[in-house]
Amino acid sequence: LQMLELFRERRPENRVSTVDSCGGQPLSGTYAEESYGDVWITKVHELAKRSIDVGTLVHFHSQLGRPEFMPHYSPSASTTTDVVRQVVIPCTKTGDGGVSYSEMFGPDEQPSCMVTHTWSNLFIDLVAAVVAHSLGSKDYAHIAEMLATGSHSTVYEELRVKGRLQLTYWICAFCVNQHASICGSLGKEPTIGTEAWHRWDHSRRDTVTRQVFSLCTCKEPKHLNDSRDLCELNKFDYMMHVLQRQVHSFCQLVAVDREFHVFSRAWCVAELVQAHLESTAQYVQLHSSEGLRDDAEDLSLYIKLSSLTVAEAEATLPEDRDAILAKIPSIPDFDAHLQALIFGESGLLNRRFSGFGAIIASVTTARRMKAVLEEGRRQKQLVRGACQSWNE
């Protein structure tokens, strides 16, 4: 175990060389503007000027559930996708076109923090994670509870007293012009009856009502992968590079959902590693730290996180995933960055796991190895069972 560095008194240091290990731009940490056209560069800097302040975010959440703002909103069920489709998009339509929520209601200043999150997450958890980060809380469960019970004025007042109301964040749901991308479509329908079709069908329906989302009728030109220079969905990592150099103390907040899906989404993983390579300060907000205790009996979360690979990361559009993977010449090296980023001594979760003393480390390491080995045996048994059924 000592030879394998699995039994040690402290965590491995988060030291993975950034020189050509991920390759491409901007994942290599370099971004030469002269290698891109004027239209691309202009769009990157345009995105970098958008933001939403935490006070506006809390007020936005306080309006949900009203007759004019998604009356069926449920704090315990409604996702970010639900809110974007049924509130953000309708209220940012302007005549025959539309703009981002940030452009319509934002503070017209650069963000101090980039938020990495998943749209499948509960929307209330996204808001709570941002508020908790603003207030310096270690997790966001208590904030989510306050928002769920309608205590927005209390949250707002605490932010005001601490001088945090004007802290600005870059959140894609609010800072991307949805009218220039997704508002008029629910994505290409896969072959009916396939697993992909069932995922697509689930994603196009409201979580509470199960009704299919209504489509926006605006005439705003759509810019997706067939219009890469003007597309606002493919420049997050480039924009982070710009903000790191333009905004003092710029940081990244990882709003971790309760199922930890954020670590399996392709764009989220790309943003995590980009921030690491840029030496951007990174902060994590969890719903609760209880699931990361080393004395927890259920080690499924540890197994899930320790086996992450960008090769299996998911994206709404397959071409987005392909574009991200195309920037990475070495998947193993990229995965090494990701593991160091999560578990390393300076990693995102380094303060969340306890029990790395000399004695406790031997116990927890043994338990983890046992769990991993048992999972491996279980997978082999499933494969053997499938082969036997096939032969029969």
Side-chain angles (χ1 to χ4, degrees), residues 328-341:
I328 307 172
S330 173
I331 296 297
D333 284 346
F334 190 97
D335 288 345
H337 274 286
L338 181 59
Q339 287 298 315
L341 184 59

Side-chain angles (χ1 to χ4, degrees), residues 152-198:
H152 296 82
S153 58
T154 302
V155 173
Y156 195 90
E157 180 62 14
E158 185 173 356
L159 288 165
R160 187 194 67 78
V161 170
K162 293 189 175 182
R164 298 290 191 268
L165 279 174
Q166 277 71 50
L167 285 181
T168 53
Y169 292 82
W170 201 96
I171 304 174
C172 59
F174 295 97
C175 296
V176 165
N177 182 1
Q178 310 300 336
H179 296 279
S181 54
I182 69 168
C183 77
S185 172
L186 296 173
K188 183 179 179 181
E189 181 177 0
T191 302
I192 295 178
T194 62
E195 183 179 346
W197 184 88
H198 287 293

Side-chain angles (χ1 to χ4, degrees), residues 329-366:
S330 173
I331 296 297
D333 284 346
F334 190 97
D335 288 345
H337 274 286
L338 181 59
Q339 287 298 315
L341 184 59
I342 296 173
F343 291 111
E345 186 169 359
S346 300
L348 293 174
L349 301 182
N350 71 317
R351 296 180 181 178
R352 306 300 180 138
F353 284 95
S354 59
F356 270 80
I359 297 178
I360 299 178
S362 62
V363 177
T364 56
T365 298

